[in-house]
């Protein structure tokens, strides 16, 4: 009888230390009942898809689950294919703060950076 070996697959999205720290801060301030934060790509904006990060109150069957030091990060199951190989960072300066995505699947983006096409 041959033995089946499984190996862990890499997460669809890699998180920088800054992104992980931001998730920890969000979870520290999360509303009651939140079990993590979820990244999704709803249809919106002038290019078609946008990045959205929201609190999660229950796991969805096809969500990808990533354990971070500060809390659980979910990726919406329907969005995973648009995000494979992406890097998520948290960037803050004097004028703006937000998650920034380096997505190899994006073929274009709108001028304001709010949405992308695949």
């Amino acid at each position: 009888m041959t033995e089946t070996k499984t190996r862990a697959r890499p997460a669809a999205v890699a998180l920088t230390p800054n992104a992980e720290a931001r998730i920890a801060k969000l979870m520290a301030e999360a509303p009651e009942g939140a079990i993590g934060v979820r990244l999704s790509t709803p249809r919106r904006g002038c290019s078609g898809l946008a990045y959205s990060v929201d609190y999660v109150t229950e796991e969805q069957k096809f969500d990808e689950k990533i354990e971070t030091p500060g809390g659980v990060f979910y990726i919406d199951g329907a969005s995973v294919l648009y995000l494979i190989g992406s890097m998520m960072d948290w960037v803050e300066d004097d004028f703006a703060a937000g998650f920034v995505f380096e997505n190899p699947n994006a073929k274009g983006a709108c001028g304001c950076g709010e949405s992308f096409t695949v």
Side-chain angles (χ1 to χ4, degrees):
M1 178 179 240
T2 60
E3 185 179 327
T4 302
K5 293 184 181 182
T6 59
R7 64 180 177 92
R9 63 182 167 85
V13 175
L15 305 172
T16 66
N18 285 345
E20 287 185 352
R22 182 61 184 174
I23 290 168
K25 185 171 183 351
L26 287 170
M27 290 310 300
E29 301 169 354
E32 188 175 330
I35 62 168
V37 294
R38 177 183 290 124
L39 171 62
S40 61
T41 55
R43 296 201 176 280
R44 144 173 101 212
C46 47
S47 286
L49 297 171
Y51 300 104
S52 180
V53 178
D54 303 288
Y55 286 111
V56 177
T57 56
E58 63 182 56
E59 278 188 33
Q60 299 297 313
K61 183 176 181 178
F62 296 106
D63 281 356
E64 179 161 329
K65 182 178 178 179
I66 301 170
E67 300 280 348
T68 74
V72 181
F73 179 68
Y74 295 90
I75 301 172
D76 172 61
S79 300
V80 169
L81 288 177
Y82 304 125
L83 299 168
I84 291 173
S86 294
M87 175 74 69
M88 181 174 148
D89 194 9
W90 175 260
V91 177
E92 237 176 285
D93 63 26
D94 290 342
F95 302 104
F99 286 110
V100 176
F101 299 87
E102 189 177 305
N103 185 344
N105 306 297
K107 302 287 187 252
C110 63
C112 61
E114 289 294 316
S115 60
F116 67 100
T117 58
V118 288

